[in-house]
Amino acid sequence: MQRCVLVIEAGPRSTECAAFSASTLEPIEYFSYAPGGFAHAMATLVAELAKKGLKPVRTLLSIHSSFLFMRLLEIPIQDRRKLQEIISLQAQDLFVSGAGNMVLDGVPLSGGKAVVVGVDRDELDAQLKALNDNGIGASWAAPAMLSKDRLLRRLKQNESVCALIDGDSITVVRDGQPCFFKHLDSVEDLQLSVCALEADGINVEKFYSAGSNGFAEKAGIEAEKAPSGFEHTSLLAVALHYRDGLKGGVNFLERHADPKAESALNFRKKVAVALFCGLVLSWGVYVYLRFQNITGEMKSASAAMEAGFKELFPGEAPKNPEYALEVKASELAREKEVLSGLSRPLDVMMELTKAASGRAGLRVLETAIAGSRINLRSEAGSFDEAAAFREALSRSALVKNVTITDTKPGQSGRVRFGVSASLEAK
């Protein structure tokens, strides 16, 4: 059987797979399946690989950009280990809805920036399980979008700044180094991305177009068509990344337990629990006698704590005074924090009013201020008006690191977009 490297990506429109030669990494065969039913698609893929005499020696799982949560951050750190520490410490503040059940990873970019990406743990679990159930467990899992800068290098571009637009994303490279990635849902997403790049002083000298969506042409962007062989940009980008050794990039598996390993770990946990229960049973009589002596003291302390709580907060009779005191202390601490920084929200609203002045089509629909973070949900009459609002807000002495986080078309041709920023320290 012929040995191959298998690349798989499940997207909203189809599940795409490719087998590349294990020795030369030249494409051998492409496979495509209808969306949904990923487990069934993998079972069919295994049968087709066997029929064609192909044996995967490595399986690489690309997470489609539509499943990603992404943030571009102004962090001048090139040490990936330090960036991982920052991601771990600031996980809940990176996204408006919090880190929640996400698996997070990130890589430094050029120009003092870094990209942080996350994927829902349940989605990643489901894809990994479908692969393992069919005997093709993945050894790497990450977004192909973060590998597409290698496609631009393969095109032998000589421009200082160039971009690749394909069926679901835009990738920008400056002086040979990636500096911008964005998932594209629509032509409007692409237009707003270009406006945001220009507002940041990044002027793309040449665009390349690949894929069948024709986003570049629909957006009125003059782009050179990528040559033959670039029809499956995500699969090819991962293969090129594999050729480079898969070093230094995102790998969700480093932050996520393998389903098989997790199953074995759960078995070992059950054995350990059984042994521990036997040990506990042997000490049962001793613990019972000790408990009888301590119970009286605990009841006395609980009664005293309950009396003290009622004295501090008349009219309240909690079932658990100890827990209620902790809750009260936490609430008072939050109230103190809010009151001590009361002027900051007022100052922020003044700056937002100044930035929106003269823009009749602009509406700020929702404002969230937590600590030093500001998140806005806004609406504008056009992409240019949204970019102009961001640029005006960036000139404020109170606000820094202003970025447009996501966009989508609104009603009557309007544009809805999110803005993320941080407050200057007092």
Side-chain angles (χ1 to χ4, degrees), residues 128 407 419:
L128 292 175
T407 62
V419 175

Side-chain angles (χ1 to χ4, degrees), residues 53-68:
L54 297 173
K55 180 181 180 180
V57 295
R58 292 288 297 275
T59 300
L60 310 176
L61 177 63
S62 168
I63 306 300
H64 192 269
S65 55
S66 62
F67 293 122
L68 297 179

Side-chain angles (χ1 to χ4, degrees), residues 147-276:
S147 302
K148 290 180 181 178
D149 56 296
R150 290 167 173 80
L151 298 177
L152 285 166
R153 289 199 286 270
R154 186 163 185 172
L155 289 168
K156 298 180 180 179
Q157 49 80 24
N158 297 316
E159 299 78 14
S160 175
V161 183
C162 62
L164 173 66
I165 302 168
D166 60 13
D168 51 36
S169 66
I170 176 173
T171 303
V172 181
V173 169
R174 177 167 54 188
D175 297 327
Q177 297 298 319
C179 65
F180 184 83
F181 304 94
K182 180 72 169 63
H183 170 70
L184 300 178
D185 274 322
S186 62
V187 175
E188 289 78 11
D189 266 355
L190 174 57
Q191 291 172 328
L192 194 56
S193 296
V194 174
C195 289
L197 286 166
E198 292 175 351
D200 280 338
I202 302 176
N203 295 310
V204 179
E205 298 174 13
K206 188 167 186 177
F207 289 92
Y208 293 89
S209 175
S212 58
N213 279 357
F215 276 149
E217 293 80 0
K218 294 176 184 177
I221 296 175
E222 184 177 347
E224 180 180 321
K225 191 69 176 177
S228 176
F230 281 73
E231 293 81 8
H232 305 276
T233 51
S234 293
L235 305 179
L236 179 59
V238 172
L240 294 176
H241 196 172
Y242 176 76
R243 173 176 287 170
D244 294 340
L246 298 174
K247 296 179 180 178
V250 166
N251 185 0
F252 289 131
L253 293 189
E254 294 177 354
R255 301 263 173 180
H256 180 275
D258 182 87
K260 288 183 178 178
E262 187 173 353
S263 177
L265 179 61
N266 288 337
F267 175 77
R268 291 195 294 270
K269 284 181 179 179
K270 291 179 180 178
V271 173
V273 168
L275 295 174
F276 179 73

